[in-house]
Amino acid sequence: MVSSRDARRKAPAAGSWTDSVGSWATTVVAVSVLLFLALPILVVIPMSFSSAEALTFPPPGFSLRWYESFFGDARWLQAARTSIIVAVASSTLAAVFGSAAAYGLVRGNWFGRGAIEANFLLPLIVPQVITALALYMYFARLGILGTLPGLIMGHTVLGLPYVVLIMTVAIRSFDVRIEQVALSLGSSWSRMFVSVVLPNLAPSLAAAWLFAFVISFDEVIITFFLAGAHETIPKRMFNELMLQVNPTITAIATLLISISIITISTLALLARRSGLLR
Amino acid sequence: MAGNVEVAHRVQPTSSRLTLPKLGEGFAQVVPALILILLLFNVPLVIMLGWSFYPLETPLANYEQIFTRSIYLKVIGNTFYIAALTTVACCLLGYPLCYWMWRLSPRWRLIIASIVVLTFWVSILVRTYAWIVILGNDGIVNRLLLTWGLIDSSVSFLYNQTGVIIGTTNVLLPFLVLPLFAAMMRLDRRILLAAETLGAPKGVIFWKIFFPLTLPSLAAGAILIFILTLGFFITPAILGGGRVPMIANMMDLLINRLPRWELAAAISGVLLVFTMIFFAGYQWLNNRQQAS
């Protein structure tokens, strides 16, 4: 791949001036698109340290007032607590159920396996607002609409497809013969699972759990329909943004961006360790 | 022991005595998650679609309303219009970015790809929110335009179709860029090298070889963007300010404001059918891509 690039560079410039104009134009367009993509992040972070009452850019001075206003507000802190409880519970449920299912799907060889696997991925394709609406009507009938367990169940359904996707890839790349060796050496299935399968899949499992955690932590639509009086950070942000523009949100947005950076770096590390990227 | 049976089974899959008990291998592990998704996804979906035919004396009355009343038709038309424009914008912006990334050195490629992945990973809410600051009446764009004397008074970018399309394009662009870039990276560079050795100019190589080869991936990405915009909720709600109703926002209205569940259910049914049709097209393109 590298050699072909070099060869191309060294090749005599057969093209005319139109080639270099085209090349420059591509660069200009591409860099502008990249800027457009990154613009929200580039704007929100400096704004969160603004000393101004209103949203002005560039900020007139530095202050931490919006962070103080976030950490000093009991309602935002309660929302953060709910967000974390729901995200931890739903991602743990999704990770346990989803990775067991992924193991069965990869190692099994029975009729209808493909259909069941496709069904696990269905929540990714069906628009979330439809899932939210269906759960809303269903939970209303069951009398669990607006409860924390109901919300956790809704988030679990959304996290499950990601866990199944990540774990089927991971288990597929784990040689089944290693399991067979352990079994043929006299290990019981459960012993083999705990001391052979689990340690090997641990990085992927952590990645899958983290993915489901972030999906839940950022989730707006399902929460908007199912949470009732409960507030999560995204739900309260969404409701506030519909009414007015409160600069406290820039501070929360910056905190969320830093969480995103931390989680994605962790995921990259886990992916390298588990060989998912290889 | 168990292990010997296992190995024997792998070696001789035809031996029926050994394969029979193995038929269900792995099924037990799938069952809990299967029950979970059936009870919390499939069943609710079916029940909701059942609702859409209520009252049962006139099962299609709700669907008839959607397709005959001008309010609903207008919202559906508006959603398709915004989805189409967003798709075109994503393709026009995304393709040059991918092509440029593909030509970079591996090191720079990784850096730029990481930036794209990061924007993809940051909460949609955060990215949507920033556009209020950028596009608002007192926002960055308006103040720049005023300072440069290009306009006399603020232009409204927010709470209209323009704002929704800009925000939606920004949020969904990584969904096009990441798969398209991956597809370009899978392309065999030797084909292009061959054309070059045979003396083809760069423009010809791009338009006759590179572009046609990556077109199916671009088309698949475009369909994905279209599907995602059809059901989009957050960005239209915030940047549209209720003035740019899309299907998803109308469903919210029908559920939370004027409780008309059966109508909301019917609209879900319509949206679901559209989504599935376009998804079938997406799958077809992807399979064709993999076959070639």
Side-chain angles (χ1 to χ4, degrees), chain B residues 33-244:
Chain B
L34 187 61
I35 292 173
L36 187 100
I37 197 150
L38 285 176
L39 282 183
L40 290 176
F41 183 75
N42 297 78
V43 169
L45 212 58
V46 169
I47 291 180
M48 182 186 66
L49 291 178
W51 259 94
S52 72
F53 299 109
Y54 190 86
L56 290 174
E57 298 84 61
T58 50
L60 290 178
N62 296 316
Y63 288 95
E64 208 184 302
Q65 258 194 53
I66 294 171
F67 285 112
T68 49
R69 292 250 177 110
S70 63
I71 345 159
Y72 302 118
L73 278 179
K74 235 172 117 179
V75 173
I76 293 175
N78 187 43
T79 307
F80 272 81
Y81 177 73
I82 289 182
L85 283 184
T86 305
T87 307
V88 171
C90 281
C91 290
L92 289 181
L93 297 180
Y95 196 91
L97 178 62
C98 289
Y99 179 58
W100 178 70
M101 282 164 71
W102 177 80
R103 290 197 314 183
L104 290 173
S105 67
R107 186 194 162 85
W108 274 101
R109 209 184 279 145
L110 187 70
I111 294 172
I112 305 293
S114 311
I115 295 175
V116 178
V117 171
L118 177 68
T119 61
F120 172 71
W121 192 245
V122 167
S123 153
I124 291 179
L125 215 49
V126 171
R127 284 181 284 154
T128 302
Y129 165 68
W131 288 102
I132 297 181
V133 182
I134 299 166
L135 295 177
N137 279 340
D138 197 27
I140 301 168
V141 172
N142 262 317
R143 291 214 282 138
L144 277 181
L145 291 177
L146 280 172
T147 331
W148 292 341
L150 289 173
I151 49 171
D152 298 322
S153 58
S154 300
V155 181
S156 348
F157 293 109
L158 283 186
Y159 313 123
N160 56 32
Q161 279 188 347
T162 317
V164 172
I165 291 170
I166 293 176
T168 310
T169 303
N170 181 264
V171 167
L172 296 182
L173 193 53
F175 284 95
L176 181 108
V177 169
L178 293 173
L180 180 59
F181 174 63
M184 284 183 183
M185 291 303 292
R186 280 197 301 270
L187 198 83
D188 191 345
R189 283 177 195 252
R190 285 173 303 180
I191 301 172
L192 307 168
L193 195 66
E196 210 173 79
T197 1
L198 292 173
K202 271 184 179 169
V204 172
I205 296 176
F206 178 80
W207 287 111
K208 294 258 165 171
I209 302 172
F210 189 84
F211 187 67
L213 280 176
T214 50
L215 195 58
S217 306
L218 179 68
I223 295 178
L224 189 66
I225 301 292
F226 193 80
I227 297 175
L228 289 170
T229 323
L230 280 188
F232 217 38
F233 180 76
I234 303 169
T235 308
I238 293 173
L239 296 181
R243 262 167 270 179
V244 189

Side-chain angles (χ1 to χ4, degrees), chain A residues 21-35, chain B residues 96-97 100 103:
Chain A
V21 169
S23 172
W24 267 104
T26 313
T27 307
V28 170
V29 171
V31 172
S32 322
V33 174
L34 197 65
L35 255 174
Chain B
L97 178 62
W100 178 70
R103 290 197 314 183

Side-chain angles (χ1 to χ4, degrees), chain A residues 5 8 30 36 40 47 57 100 104 108 110 119 130 133 135-138 157 180 224 234 241 250 260 263-264, chain B residues 10 23 25-26 29 33 39-40 42 44 93 100 103 117 121 125 129-131 133 143 170 196 252 255 261 268:
Chain A
R5 280 189 61 84
R8 201 153 47 109
F36 168 70
M47 296 269 298
F57 192 90
W110 23 272
N119 191 57
I130 293 182
L133 213 65
L135 283 174
Y136 177 91
M137 295 178 177
Y138 187 61
V157 170
Q180 288 163 355
F224 179 74
L241 286 179
T250 54
S260 303
T263 49
I264 204 163
Chain B
R10 298 280 164 180
L23 268 176
E25 187 190 6
Q29 285 96 325
L39 282 183
L40 290 176
N42 297 78
L93 297 180
W100 178 70
R103 290 197 314 183
V117 171
W121 192 245
L125 215 49
Y129 165 68
W131 288 102
V133 182
R143 291 214 282 138
N170 181 264
E196 210 173 79
D252 164 38
I255 283 286
W261 288 17
S268 297

Side-chain angles (χ1 to χ4, degrees), chain B residues 250-261:
Chain B
M250 188 169 63
M251 280 156 67
D252 164 38
L253 211 69
L254 288 169
I255 283 286
N256 290 321
R257 307 279 158 77
L258 24 135
R260 301 231 18 212
W261 288 17

Side-chain angles (χ1 to χ4, degrees), chain A residues 41-58:
Chain A
I41 300 174
L42 297 179
V43 164
V44 162
I45 296 175
M47 296 269 298
S48 71
F49 298 105
S50 169
S51 59
E53 188 65 51
L55 290 169
T56 45
F57 192 90

